[in-house]
Amino acid sequence: MIFTRSTLMVLLLTVTFGVSFALLSPIFTDAQLEQKTFVTHSGRVIETSGEVLDPVYTVSTVDFDPDEFLRNFEYGRISISDNGQTIRDYTIIAEDDKVQEISPGVFFNVWTFNGTVPGPTIRATEGDLVRIHFINNGSKSHTMHFHGIHPAEMDGVFEIVGGNGGQFTYEFEAGPVGVHPYHCHVMPLEEHIVHGLYGVFIVDPKEGRPPADELVMVLNGFDTDFDTENNFYAANTIPFYYQHHPIQINTDQLIRIYVVNMVEFDPINNFHLHGNLYQYYPTGTDLVPSFYTDMITLSQTERGIMEFQYDYPGKYLFHAHKVEFSEKGWVGLFLVKDNSTSEAYYGN
Amino acid sequence: METSEKTSRIKVVTSGIIPFVFVVLMVAYIFGPGADLLDLGVPLPELTIEKIAFEKSEIHVTVRNTGPLPVQVVMADVNDRIHPAAIEPDKFLNRYETALVRIPFEWNEAEPYTIGLTTDDGTRFERNIDAAAPALQMNFEFVVFFAIIGTYVGIIPVMIGLLWLPFIKKISKSKYHFFLALTVGLLLFLGIDSIEEAFDVSLENLGGSFNDVLLIATTVVLSFLGLYYVSEKLTGRADSLRISKPVVIGLMIAIGIGLHNFGEGLAIGAAVGLGSIAFSTFLIVGFALHNTTEGLAIAAPMSRGKLMIGKLITMGIIAGAPAIFGAWVGGFAFSPFSSVVFLSIGAGAIFQVIVIILKWIREEGDKNLSSAAVAAGFATGMFVMYATSILI
């Protein structure tokens, strides 16, 4: 009897200590022997036997391609009306069930116009008839609200478009000249915007602007843990993307950036350019620049056009000088090539 | 006859197995056809940052998946600013699995830092450090340093406490009971103190998934039962092993106190490791004063046996030396889970000792636990401990 009792006790103690020990000792599974490397902010090279967690400098790609978005303009299906007016037809489909990688390894439920955040850049000339065939394939109600001049019933506020195939056609004359945002305007508005239902609407002056390498930058952010503070910031959605994929431009070439600030939660955003200053046209409504600066401050949906050219080749940073934003992704590089050795690129 | 015995045995075994079969069926049902029943709510990921060490030009973060789901750690930040980092062995963490995140960062000593880790669903988990201090390197200098501190805190005060032995030897029976009860008071206080410390460590460092209250309760009870069993065996065989009952009781007290002092060593080592130097000075002085009373606890029962200097010194070392090991572990290899377990084992050990001494008093004191001497001793013990604990 004593024997069984002590055996039981020993067994009990063994089990207890065994379980504790198993929990105590970290479990190392499939230790990889191959060394990987990454660089730090100060350029040091670090080796690791594990995995690299680096959205900042390590080249990586996700579903959405900011390079493609950067120089992509949607001019619509063009037709001419009887009175000679250009008609531009667009089809925009809203969805709200996609889960996309918005930073390497980070998956977030984005609500999209035509499958991307931001939605397509809609571009027309002043006076064109813009016709948007809006289909809501989401599960919630959505609309499209354009900043600009249009009739009240085309404002996308009271004309709620129900989900699961609801439709609406927005029709208005493009104007005024400039760069404007469009976004969903269903309440709760903040929720619909921060999930990604926004895009850029460019209205060109009839006489056009001087030829330039034209870029679109939507300054945006994501609050992935829903604490009403952004976890990520970016120019064109993907944090740090243009840092490891520098935007290639040429010396002595006019660069024109249509910049729209869609960051929510934080009252301001800004745009600082290195090694240069730019002519700035607030909202792009005037053809004469208002400022010559390297720093503009943008409130919610505040936007404008920046024009500049580089004299010297090399790598130049551009970033939010609200450094918190740049250290969470809103930072990039221009790789300026010597114009004499490469072909000039002209957008538009 | 034999066959009927066999059948009855089979019956017993079968009746023991049948409920198990139903348990298996029940579990199989909930995971199989009844799986819809479990489809309630959304399980959320959970990471617990257990340890942050400031190495040369790097911050080392030990993280454990304490949630119900496997997760991937995909990003690290310092003060809510994203930094390139590495995770070893890999970023996939199953439940309870740990990994080391290395963030290259030129940190500044004594500045506060917040370390954040983001999982694949974009949830960020963070932990604050009040003041960055270089992680202790396990070199000869620090090993010696902790050994000296451990000796100062553990061994020396216990030895000083043992010097009360001749005094206790000479006093009357009721006064002796007073001192035994005083010991009980001291130990009860230490036991409560250990449990409180275990709660502190688990609250600060462990995820809720460890069920800290139950972890501590279970460990305390198991430790109590284990040591109680061992000491009963030892006491029962005391005569045949040619050691006297007072010595056995003294030894059990010394073991209990030793486990407790291991916890104190842990606290000191961890405090030095975390760079709370001022705090650890208080800890060292406070524990040292506090621990002289522990010597008294060992001396009290031993005073009724023959004076055995050698055994006394051994017990002083058994009670005191674990403080050195504790300081080493706390300083060099702090693990919150093992600390909680050790502190709980210590508490269980102390409660076991309390039961033994109370029994001893009852046997010695004509089956009476309610004499004035005992009550006064008990109260004094608690009060003295409280008074000295304020010094920490």
Side-chain angles (χ1 to χ4, degrees):
Chain A
M1 199 59 203
I2 287 170
F3 171 73
T4 35
R5 235 169 63 196
S6 47
T7 319
L8 210 79
M9 204 62 214
V10 167
L11 202 74
L12 192 65
L13 282 174
T14 317
V15 168
T16 313
F17 287 112
V19 169
S20 319
F21 184 76
L23 287 171
L24 291 183
S25 55
I27 309 147
F28 291 107
T29 49
D30 308 328
Q32 286 154 302
L33 296 169
E34 185 192 342
Q35 296 284 309
K36 298 192 186 79
T37 57
F38 64 101
V39 291
T40 68
H41 288 315
S42 52
R44 271 195 312 131
V45 177
I46 307 286
E47 277 201 347
T48 174
S49 59
E51 289 182 79
V52 175
L53 307 177
D54 176 27
V56 187
Y57 301 111
T58 302
V59 176
S60 52
T61 52
V62 296
D63 288 345
F64 178 69
D65 182 356
D67 276 338
E68 197 184 304
F69 178 83
L70 186 69
R71 291 187 173 102
N72 190 53
F73 302 96
E74 298 294 340
Y75 293 94
R77 297 180 297 279
I78 300 165
S79 57
I80 308 292
S81 75
D82 297 341
N83 60 7
Q85 189 183 29
T86 303
I87 303 170
R88 296 180 189 271
D89 281 284
Y90 300 84
T91 303
I92 303 283
I93 299 169
E95 288 172 294
D96 51 29
D97 62 345
K98 280 184 187 246
V99 173
Q100 281 182 5
E101 198 174 7
I102 49 118
S103 177
V106 179
F107 294 84
F108 185 66
N109 169 219
V110 286
W111 300 1
T112 57
F113 288 129
N114 285 4
T116 58
V117 180
T121 299
I122 296 170
R123 191 163 186 176
T125 304
E126 187 185 20
D128 290 352
L129 184 71
V130 175
R131 215 152 47 194
I132 312 260
H133 305 277
F134 178 60
I135 303 166
N136 180 5
N137 282 344
S139 58
K140 298 173 194 299
S141 297
H142 298 298
T143 63
M144 288 182 81
H145 160 72
F146 285 79
H147 286 212
I149 300 167
H150 46 244
E153 63 272 21
M154 292 295 146
D155 202 36
V157 174
F158 303 112
E159 307 73 28
I160 304 291
V161 184
N164 304 311
Q167 300 203 5
F168 191 87
T169 303
Y170 297 96
E171 198 174 298
F172 52 85
E173 235 174 56
V177 163
V179 52
H180 311 293
Y182 67 84
H183 58 86
C184 175
H185 211 299
V186 169
M187 296 299 284
L189 183 54
E190 190 177 64
E191 182 189 21
H192 285 252
I193 292 177
V194 299
H195 274 87
L197 288 172
Y198 47 79
V200 178
F201 174 45
I202 296 170
V203 181
D204 289 319
K206 283 191 169 118
E207 63 278 20
R209 294 181 192 270
D213 183 359
E214 295 197 312
L215 315 172
V216 181
M217 286 192 195
V218 176
L219 310 183
N220 51 357
F222 288 101
D223 171 21
T224 55
D225 52 7
F226 308 102
D227 60 354
T228 67
E229 276 182 37
N230 287 306
N231 297 58
F232 298 96
Y233 297 86
N236 296 341
T237 302
I238 310 302
F240 304 106
Y241 185 83
Y242 297 121
Q243 181 138 280
H244 44 79
H245 287 81
I247 299 171
Q248 300 199 14
I249 56 174
N250 296 308
T251 54
D252 303 322
Q253 157 146 45
L254 184 63
I255 308 297
R256 180 176 298 125
I257 305 178
Y258 297 92
V259 58
V260 179
N261 178 38
M262 289 308 300
V263 163
E264 274 296 332
F265 308 120
D266 304 284
I268 61 152
N269 199 346
N270 50 37
F271 194 126
H272 168 54
L273 183 65
H274 277 226
N276 215 338
L277 279 78
Y278 46 85
Q279 302 287 356
Y280 186 62
Y281 307 77
T283 319
T285 42
D286 207 328
L287 298 183
V288 180
S290 300
F291 307 110
Y292 184 55
T293 181
D294 63 3
M295 178 70 192
I296 51 165
T297 299
L298 300 163
S299 175
Q300 272 66 45
T301 72
E302 208 172 348
R303 69 281 187 187
I305 298 172
M306 304 163 53
E307 287 180 350
F308 57 92
Q309 57 187 37
Y310 273 97
D311 295 337
Y312 309 108
K315 275 198 274 188
Y316 297 95
L317 269 178
F318 62 97
H319 62 94
H321 223 299
K322 169 79 178 103
V323 181
E324 177 194 352
F325 299 179
S326 65
E327 292 195 37
K328 288 183 186 173
W330 167 192
V331 57
L333 282 171
F334 283 115
L335 178 59
V336 184
K337 289 184 170 173
D338 203 332
N339 204 10
S340 54
T341 59
S342 63
E343 285 283 305
Y345 175 91
Y346 282 89
N348 195 14
Chain B
M1 193 67 194
E2 212 172 78
T3 38
S4 77
E5 209 169 76
K6 226 176 189 176
T7 11
S8 73
R9 217 157 151 189
I10 289 168
K11 269 184 187 160
V12 169
V13 171
T14 325
S15 62
I17 286 173
I18 285 172
F20 274 111
V21 173
F22 280 104
V23 168
V24 169
L25 281 176
M26 181 181 76
V27 173
Y29 172 76
I30 204 91
F31 283 110
D36 288 350
L37 287 174
L38 288 178
D39 201 10
L40 307 161
V42 185
L44 295 174
E46 171 99 28
L47 283 182
T48 302
I49 296 175
E50 291 195 343
K51 190 176 155 189
I52 297 171
F54 293 85
E55 305 285 346
K56 189 181 178 296
S57 302
E58 273 186 30
I59 300 175
H60 286 188
V61 184
T62 308
V63 61
R64 191 189 292 271
N65 174 6
T66 49
L69 302 169
V71 294
Q72 288 185 50
V73 178
V74 296
M75 203 172 73
D77 67 73
V78 177
N79 295 338
D80 202 17
R81 307 293 183 263
I82 299 165
H83 284 270
I87 185 163
E88 293 164 358
D90 64 72
K91 64 183 178 183
F92 295 90
L93 293 185
N94 285 315
R95 195 169 186 211
Y96 290 124
E97 198 179 352
T98 65
L100 177 73
V101 179
R102 293 170 52 202
I103 312 172
F105 191 88
E106 300 295 335
W107 49 273
N108 303 317
E109 199 163 331
E111 281 184 20
Y113 287 98
T114 301
I115 305 299
L117 296 175
T118 301
T119 54
D120 47 335
D121 70 339
T123 313
R124 180 173 173 272
F125 299 89
E126 64 171 35
R127 177 151 182 202
N128 300 308
I129 291 292
D130 294 335
L136 294 179
Q137 300 303 316
M138 200 175 155
N139 56 23
F140 183 70
E141 205 180 312
F142 265 113
V143 169
V144 171
F145 169 75
F146 279 131
I148 292 169
I149 294 291
T151 309
Y152 181 80
V153 169
I155 298 174
I156 293 174
V158 172
M159 295 296 184
I160 291 173
L162 287 173
L163 292 177
W164 269 303
L165 185 75
F167 165 74
I168 295 173
K169 253 181 154 11
K170 289 188 186 106
I171 54 180
S172 70
K173 195 172 178 181
S174 73
K175 287 196 185 107
Y176 172 59
H177 284 173
F178 170 85
F179 279 104
L180 278 179
L182 178 90
T183 306
V184 173
L186 305 178
L187 289 171
L188 183 60
F189 188 93
L190 288 180
I192 294 168
D193 191 35
S194 295
I195 289 180
E196 195 200 351
E197 179 69 20
F199 276 117
D200 282 351
V201 173
S202 77
L203 268 184
E204 268 174 48
N205 306 287
L206 282 185
S209 64
F210 280 109
N211 290 341
D212 51 1
V213 175
L214 295 172
L215 169 69
I216 292 166
T218 309
T219 316
V220 168
V221 171
L222 286 182
S223 148
F224 176 88
L225 290 174
L227 288 163
Y228 188 76
Y229 178 82
V230 171
S231 81
E232 286 292 290
K233 278 270 113 65
L234 272 180
T235 329
R237 290 183 196 172
D239 298 331
S240 60
L241 292 174
R242 274 191 285 161
I243 45 173
S244 61
K245 208 169 175 187
V247 173
V248 171
I249 292 176
L251 178 65
M252 293 317 291
I253 294 177
I255 291 172
I257 288 174
L259 284 165
H260 174 80
N261 283 349
F262 181 83
E264 289 183 353
L266 272 182
I268 293 167
V272 174
L274 293 173
S276 337
I277 303 296
F279 176 58
S280 54
T281 310
F282 272 110
L283 275 184
I284 290 162
V285 175
F287 280 144
L289 277 176
H290 203 71
N291 290 355
T292 50
T293 55
E294 295 173 354
L296 181 63
I298 300 169
M302 294 281 284
S303 66
R304 281 306 180 258
K306 274 185 282 172
L307 182 60
M308 293 167 282
I309 308 262
K311 283 211 171 74
L312 217 51
I313 289 172
T314 313
M315 283 179 195
I317 288 170
I318 289 174
I324 299 173
F325 297 109
W328 282 339
V329 173
F332 301 129
F334 180 73
S335 148
F337 185 86
S338 47
S339 300
V340 170
V341 169
F342 279 124
L343 286 166
S344 306
I345 290 175
I350 285 167
F351 293 137
Q352 180 271 140
V353 172
I354 290 172
V355 170
I356 290 187
I357 300 176
L358 286 177
K359 252 170 121 180
W360 173 250
I361 297 176
R362 230 174 90 87
E363 281 168 22
E364 275 257 312
D366 315 320
K367 311 229 186 280
N368 186 8
L369 267 180
S370 56
S371 67
V374 171
F378 205 126
T380 313
M382 291 290 284
F383 181 75
V384 166
M385 285 311 257
Y386 177 70
T388 55
S389 74
I390 289 177
L391 289 170
I392 297 174

